[in-house]
Amino acid sequence: MLEPAEINLQKYQISDQLGFLPAQPPLSRLPHSSYQIWEDTLDGVSSPCNYESIRQQMDEMPVLSTEGLATEPEWRRAYVVLSMMSQLYIWAGYQPSKKLPTSLTLPLLEVSAHLGIEPCASYSSFCLWNVRPIPAQEYADPEVYCNPENLAIINSFTGTKDEEWFFCVSASIEVIGGRMIPKMLDAIDAARDGRGRQVTEFLDELAGCLAQIDATLARMYEKCAPLVFYHRVRRCLTGSKSMGGVWYEGVDRPGDLRSYAGGSNAQSSLIQLLDIVLGIDHSNEGGNGACTSPSSFHRDMRSYMPGPHRDFLELMSRVTNIRPFALDHPAGSDIRAAYNRAVGALGQIRQRHLVMAARYIIAPALKEKGKDGVEGVRGTGGTDFIPLLKGARDRTIARISSGVCRNC
């Protein structure tokens, strides 16, 4: 088995400074002139006022070859542009479209296959490959990324500060946590060698990192209003699963529909990595149907991650050993206390996320649809929020704090 010390993060397209964000800021435009029609079309969608003509413009676009894409940043930029245009095509207008035109489906499938990611808009489209520091700089400074005030998104669906802030906060969290990845590998090595003091120091540092993530997440309220998110931004992130699927013209037979989840922070590799490293058990709570299989949900979300990131999570699942190493020590030991602090800090993030989900989705849905109409309201990635209304939040947090829950 590969030793943690032998793991090459670059192989998995992971930066030791920025984590799952690219080591250099993403391209804001494809350099090859043949792709300017893609860029110009997406640039033209500056607000919902232009949505009436967007489908016609995309229907009339030529089918472009992907042969002009030369570098990984260019492939990623192509994915951002094509997936965002596809999302706009589906959701522009009063009724969602049940088909995507060939001008989008053929290149999107080729680009997605190259990147190892589902051919639809995802967390990578909106956040990982769509956020840059301001002012623009050639090399990314992690300290700059740790403050969402220093970031901006390249392309926007709504043109609102609320949408931009939502993803800039997410990107800052990615970097705050991502800088711990090399230390995670060192701690796994230390646990393998029985170096308890080093593992304890790592867990204490991780708890501090998680507290910083929690504080950054709390900043979401500063510039992202719940009603703006619910009524304007959320629709643009919704997946095709919510409307029965979409026909990919030129690829599938008419009537053969593809169903994909919406762009969601559940597709963040960092969030799943934190669970893996701390050994959080995503077992199914079961019960009266309030909780479907969380383990299945989290595994499904991995297909919306870039292939190398997904491979890294699979690798880390095989080598992680922090939890059993900590539990091999007495209950009153320093390492057990440090482990509990780290898990408790992760639980606090989960709790804040649940409260935010209630404020940004459940509360507006209740106001709009009433108590009966809110049944079936889901997050953009497919998360069922109804358990929150039935008192599942406290049970979830209790299980997370004990290191055995996988429900968020």
Side-chain angles (χ1 to χ4, degrees):
M1 179 182 293
L2 187 67
E3 298 290 331
E6 300 171 343
I7 295 174
N8 181 355
L9 292 179
Q10 290 185 350
K11 173 185 174 182
Y12 298 97
Q13 297 180 4
I14 296 172
S15 165
D16 58 1
Q17 293 295 311
L18 302 182
F20 294 101
L21 266 66
Q24 296 180 350
L27 296 176
S28 58
R29 200 170 178 91
L30 286 164
H32 202 293
S33 60
S34 64
Y35 298 123
Q36 296 317 297
I37 188 171
W38 289 352
E39 297 283 3
D40 291 344
T41 301
L42 185 57
D43 283 346
V45 188
S46 57
S47 75
C49 297
N50 298 345
Y51 283 2
E52 290 300 320
S53 62
I54 192 65
R55 286 178 182 161
Q56 181 179 351
Q57 293 178 42
M58 295 180 187
D59 282 330
E60 295 173 354
M61 283 195 314
V63 179
L64 301 183
S65 167
T66 59
E67 291 182 358
L69 301 174
T71 66
E72 283 303 297
E74 291 177 17
W75 283 97
R76 293 170 190 156
R77 177 60 187 166
Y79 172 77
V80 170
V81 173
L82 289 165
S83 63
M84 291 188 75
M85 282 198 293
S86 298
Q87 191 76 351
L88 284 164
Y89 190 98
I90 293 171
W91 294 104
Y94 292 105
Q95 294 295 327
S97 172
K98 297 290 289 186
K99 69 104 176 178
L100 278 178
T102 307
S103 59
L104 295 176
T105 59
L106 292 183
L108 176 59
L109 285 166
E110 291 177 8
V111 170
S112 299
H114 175 89
L115 297 169
I117 196 169
E118 295 284 24
C120 62
S122 69
Y123 183 75
S124 294
S125 311
F126 309 135
C127 181
L128 296 186
W129 301 335
N130 192 42
V131 174
R132 289 177 60 91
I134 46 175
Q137 49 190 260
E138 184 177 355
Y139 296 101
D141 180 350
E143 293 305 321
V144 169
Y145 271 85
C146 288
N147 183 354
E149 295 277 4
N150 299 328
L151 305 176
I153 56 176
I154 299 169
N155 292 104
S156 171
F157 287 116
T158 65
T160 62
K161 184 62 181 179
D162 307 74
E163 177 188 348
E164 180 169 64
W165 187 250
F166 182 81
F167 291 115
C168 289
V169 168
S170 299
S172 288
I173 288 171
E174 289 286 337
V175 173
I176 292 167
R179 293 191 296 179
M180 291 294 296
I181 294 177
K183 297 178 181 181
M184 292 175 184
L185 299 178
D186 290 342
I188 291 171
D189 268 334
R192 188 179 299 239
D193 297 339
R195 288 178 274 128
R197 182 179 221 178
Q198 183 174 343
V199 176
T200 301
E201 291 173 352
F202 161 76
L203 288 168
D204 280 334
E205 186 173 357
L206 180 61
C209 168
L210 294 171
Q212 186 180 358
I213 289 176
D214 182 55
T216 303
L217 182 59
R219 296 190 63 187
M220 188 66 72
Y221 301 111
E222 293 179 14
K223 299 180 183 179
C224 183
L227 290 180
V228 175
F229 178 83
Y230 181 82
H231 291 289
R232 296 192 61 186
V233 178
R234 184 169 176 262
R235 175 181 170 86
C236 300
L237 310 181
T238 304
S240 57
K241 279 185 178 181
S242 67
M243 36 85 78
V246 173
W247 168 43
Y248 277 42
E249 186 181 50
V251 180
D252 303 321
R253 294 178 301 176
D256 290 344
L257 305 181
R258 295 171 179 249
S259 295
Y260 297 109
S264 165
N265 282 23
Q267 296 160 6
S268 164
S269 299
L270 173 68
I271 300 304
Q272 292 206 24
L273 178 62
L274 293 170
D275 284 334
I276 290 169
V277 169
L278 288 174
I280 305 299
D281 178 17
H282 284 249
S283 56
N284 186 5
E285 279 192 358
N288 58 7
C291 180
T292 57
S293 173
S295 59
S296 175
F297 169 73
H298 282 80
R299 187 159 294 279
D300 287 346
M301 288 298 100
R302 290 190 186 183
S303 65
Y304 298 88
M305 301 174 185
H309 297 177
R310 182 169 59 250
D311 293 342
F312 182 72
L313 293 185
E314 296 290 344
L315 174 62
M316 291 296 284
S317 296
R318 296 194 298 269
V319 303
T320 187
N321 57 5
I322 301 295
R323 176 180 171 84
F325 181 74
L327 295 185
D328 279 344
H329 289 73
S333 63
D334 289 345
I335 191 170
R336 285 284 289 271
Y339 177 79
N340 290 337
R341 283 192 292 271
V343 173
L346 182 59
Q348 175 60 35
I349 294 171
R350 298 288 202 243
Q351 184 173 19
R352 187 177 300 281
H353 173 259
L354 291 175
V355 172
M356 293 180 75
R359 287 190 62 180
Y360 279 86
I361 298 178
I362 296 297
L366 282 169
K367 185 175 181 179
E368 178 184 39
K369 304 176 182 180
K371 184 176 180 181
D372 295 333
V374 79
E375 289 289 337
V377 171
R378 294 176 178 269
T380 52
T383 308
D384 189 351
F385 287 129
I386 296 307
L388 297 179
L389 300 180
K390 297 178 178 178
R393 188 190 73 175
D394 292 339
R395 296 196 305 272
T396 297
I397 298 307
R399 287 173 62 89
I400 291 172
S401 297
S402 65
V404 296
C405 181
R406 288 195 168 190
N407 256 339
C408 302

